Amino acid sequence: MTDDESPGLGLDLPAQPLEKSASASPYRVLARKYRPQSFAELIGQEAMVRTLGNAIASGRIAHAFLLTGVRGVGKTSTARLVAKALNCIGPDGNGGPTIDPCGVCEPCRAIAEGRHIDVTEMDAASHTGVDDVREIIEAVRYSAVSARFKIYIIDEVHMLSKNAFNALLKTLEEPPAHVKFLFATTEVNKVPVTVLSRCQRFDLRRIPAEALVAHFHRIAEIEQVEIEPDALTLVARAAEGSARDGLSLLDQAIAHGAGTVTADAVRDMLGLADRGRIRRLLTVLLSGDAAASLAELDEAQALGIEPTALLRGLMEQVHAASRAKAGGGADALASAEEREGNAELAGTLGWSQLHRLWQLLLKGLSDVTAAPDPNEAAAMVLLRIIHAAELPDPAALIARLQGGGETATAPARPRAPAPAAPAMTAAPAPTPAPAPAAPAEPEAPASFAVLVDAIEARGKALRAVQLRDQVGLIRYAPPELVLKPLQPLGPNFTRELADDIRAALDARWTVTLGDGEAEPSLHAQEKMAEERARDAILAEPAVAAVFAAYPGATLESVSAKDANHA
């Protein structure tokens, strides 16, 4: 089908004569062949088109426009359309500025073909200097030769040098009435604020995948190409909101499939793992089967699937399950089977598991990208996910740690009267003998830290400092205490400590030193609790918002109460 027979979609080059053979016409890629030639063909930017249409209709046309957005959403095409809209004279030559340029008058055709003398398009990536801008400044003084407005389109304007921007400022703020500036950029943050304040800014949105699918379907019909709906969906998703990227992929898919495009062929072309394989791998991971997970990875590697594509697929599954669990709308492009699987996964996994999976996959993706061997890194990521699944839930872990003191002291209580048992059998006459032991049991401190506080309360501050900083606890089973020295202690340390305990508790204790595995010192534990409390405070959304608003802010201290709660 020739270009002249392409309904509803414009061209950026003049139509070829019908008598000219197809072989004599150079092939144009779809991204150029179907570049929008009117605002009606510009997909996904309805809000911007409505604003421009109202401005043109009311005559409130700004002297400078800044178009920003990701690649392939139509920035340069929009700039050319604005140039046509402002200079269109209609088929009869008597028309004025319009949001619907005719496309047949001489200004419209000349602008579309890039040969209009009053419409200058400059690539700032290759014309970055002040001399290039000086040429524009000199030229704006002269009126347009044949058009209503003299228009300057500067693509990738953020590439201009600082001096070039400064040279342009005065002219940009107060240009002659016959001059309009149209800037396009993908990195608006690099454009000076002084330039932004002199322009009307339009942020072009990423094109929705549904709109891309419909657009690609129309093009496939015009090109007489058979393409499966799932293949169109894959191309639209891979385009990531860019019409140009999607058309380039569609062009490649058509060539790959020799006129017939299937979903499997697109997956092979893009190196994507199919959805069924992703769901199967996620199921194996959640079951904790390491061997089966590695086998799935090896099979994907043999099929040529990139590890990064595999991990991205897993992340998409986790994200879809999280949206389903939160009650968010399902992906309009997802099949009924995928939606059912996402709902089932959302019902099976809790929020903590979903968040943990996401963080592990996100970290794993960066590891795979940076690793010398991506396949080895992907295997380690899968194993990390499997073993992380065995970790307890954070809330359960906190509850277990908080209950650790009670479980540790629970077995100690029956051990306290153990030495009294032989005494009771040796002298059974005094039946009230067990009575003193029963009330004495609650007097034993609940933990080593409480024991140290009791010693300090009896005026033994130096001994308390020594116990907090210089020893680690091996076993605390009143009236038995086993400590590990972390620093050199005196030769009479155990005897003196036993005397201090007897003075504080009015009870005899056995104190020994050992070399076994010990807890950190009480001082170190307090520091760790303070760090946990600090991290918990910094993780609070309100606190994070304060730090984002005040970058120089710092958290100076954490109270003992916060540290204990941590």
Side-chain angles (χ1 to χ4, degrees):
M1 179 174 290
T2 64
D3 296 340
D4 304 87
E5 299 170 331
S6 300
L9 292 167
L11 311 177
D12 66 342
L13 290 179
Q16 300 294 333
L18 291 178
E19 64 272 10
K20 194 172 184 178
S21 64
S23 60
S25 301
Y27 176 73
R28 275 179 291 158
V29 295
L30 298 180
R32 291 189 60 202
K33 185 176 182 181
Y34 295 99
R35 173 170 291 198
Q37 295 299 302
S38 69
F39 284 104
E41 299 172 7
L42 191 66
I43 61 174
Q45 312 299 340
E46 290 78 10
M48 181 200 66
V49 172
R50 182 167 57 253
T51 303
L52 286 175
N54 294 337
I56 293 174
S58 61
R60 305 176 64 90
I61 304 172
H63 62 273
F65 298 90
L66 178 69
L67 307 171
T68 178
V70 299
R71 79 265 176 240
V73 293
K75 299 183 296 298
T76 306
S77 296
T78 300
R80 294 173 181 173
L81 291 177
V82 171
K84 289 202 298 185
L86 297 181
N87 285 327
C88 177
I89 58 176
D92 58 358
N94 297 318
T98 174
I99 193 63
D100 295 314
C102 65
V104 297
C105 65
E106 177 56 25
C108 285
R109 293 179 62 87
I111 292 172
E113 297 167 10
R115 57 179 175 82
H116 200 291
I117 191 173
D118 292 319
V119 178
T120 302
E121 186 169 342
M122 186 181 85
D123 177 20
S126 55
H127 300 79
T128 62
V130 67
D131 292 336
D132 300 302
V133 172
R134 189 176 291 116
E135 292 180 7
I136 296 177
I137 297 173
E138 293 295 329
V140 297
R141 296 185 299 174
Y142 304 103
S143 299
V145 176
S146 61
R148 187 178 296 112
F149 294 102
K150 179 178 285 190
I151 294 177
Y152 292 92
I153 300 174
I154 302 181
D155 201 6
E156 300 300 335
V157 69
H158 66 273
M159 299 292 288
L160 288 178
S161 65
K162 181 179 179 180
N163 291 336
F165 274 124
N166 292 335
L168 186 62
L169 286 180
K170 187 61 178 178
T171 303
L172 183 61
E173 185 173 16
E174 299 177 358
H178 61 271
V179 174
K180 303 293 181 184
F181 289 98
L182 298 171
F183 301 141
T185 179
T186 55
E187 300 185 49
V188 69
N189 58 301
K190 294 184 178 181
V191 178
V193 178
T194 50
V195 173
L196 294 176
S197 64
R198 290 166 167 83
C199 302
Q200 276 194 7
R201 173 175 168 177
F202 291 94
D203 291 85
L204 278 67
R205 302 172 53 189
R206 288 181 183 269
I207 304 173
E210 300 91 334
L212 287 177
V213 168
H215 184 57
F216 297 159
H217 179 69
R218 291 194 300 270
I219 292 177
E221 289 182 342
I222 295 172
E223 294 290 323
Q224 297 182 347
V225 175
E226 295 182 6
I227 181 167
E228 295 180 355
D230 288 345
L232 285 175
T233 300
L234 290 172
V235 172
R237 280 177 171 161
E240 297 180 346
S242 170
R244 183 174 63 235
D245 288 6
L247 287 174
S248 298
L249 291 173
L250 183 61
D251 222 342
Q252 183 180 354
I254 293 173
H256 183 79
T260 301
V261 182
T262 64
D264 290 339
V266 173
R267 288 192 186 96
D268 292 340
M269 182 190 75
L270 298 177
L272 299 175
D274 62 89
R275 298 277 172 170
R277 180 179 302 280
I278 292 293
R279 287 196 297 271
R280 185 167 63 250
L281 176 57
L282 185 57
T283 302
V284 173
L285 282 175
L286 295 176
S287 68
D289 192 339
S293 300
L294 294 179
E296 288 284 343
L297 178 62
D298 292 340
E299 183 178 349
Q301 180 183 358
L303 293 174
I305 299 173
E306 292 293 331
T308 52
L310 204 64
L311 292 184
R312 286 195 183 99
L314 290 172
M315 293 179 70
E316 289 178 3
Q317 287 288 312
V318 173
H319 175 259
S322 301
R323 284 186 60 91
K325 192 173 187 66
D331 186 356
L333 298 179
S335 63
E337 180 184 0
E338 290 175 345
R339 297 181 187 180
E340 182 180 352
N342 294 334
E344 181 180 356
L345 188 61
T348 303
L349 299 178
W351 280 116
S352 60
Q353 292 172 298
L354 288 170
H355 293 325
R356 188 187 306 169
L357 270 173
W358 177 264
Q359 292 298 330
L360 289 170
L361 288 170
L362 185 61
K363 177 64 169 62
L365 184 62
S366 63
D367 291 348
V368 169
T369 304
D373 190 333
N375 291 298
E376 291 180 357
M380 296 305 297
V381 170
L382 299 185
L383 294 176
R384 186 191 308 164
I385 292 174
I386 291 173
H387 289 91
E390 301 173 358
L391 296 177
D393 183 85
L397 182 60
I398 292 174
R400 186 182 305 177
L401 291 174
Q402 290 176 342
E406 298 179 1
T407 56
T409 55
R413 293 186 175 178
R415 295 180 59 183
M424 293 171 58
T425 56
T431 53
E441 185 177 349
E443 294 179 4
S447 66
F448 178 57
V450 178
L451 173 63
V452 175
D453 291 339
I455 293 174
E456 186 176 17
R458 294 290 295 182
K460 300 292 184 179
L462 293 178
R463 181 72 64 194
V465 171
Q466 192 177 34
L467 292 175
R468 287 193 178 99
D469 296 349
Q470 301 178 11
V471 298
L473 179 64
I474 295 178
R475 184 167 65 254
Y476 181 77
E480 182 184 0
L481 180 63
V482 183
L483 302 173
K484 179 179 181 178
L486 303 178
Q487 297 182 19
L489 304 172
N492 299 323
F493 173 78
T494 56
R495 180 178 59 79
E496 292 173 355
L497 178 56
D499 293 341
D500 292 338
I501 294 175
R502 184 169 60 179
L505 304 179
D506 195 19
R508 292 182 177 275
W509 281 50
T510 302
V511 180
T512 57
L513 299 178
D515 295 327
E517 183 177 355
E519 297 178 359
S521 67
L522 293 178
H523 179 71
Q525 293 183 38
E526 291 173 359
K527 288 293 184 182
M528 289 188 287
E530 182 178 341
E531 289 298 324
R532 289 196 298 270
R534 178 182 293 271
D535 293 341
I537 292 171
L538 293 176
E540 288 291 333
V543 178
V546 171
F547 276 91
Y550 303 95
T554 58
L555 182 62
E556 292 296 334
S557 63
V558 178
S559 67
K561 180 179 179 181
D562 293 331
N564 291 334
H565 283 312

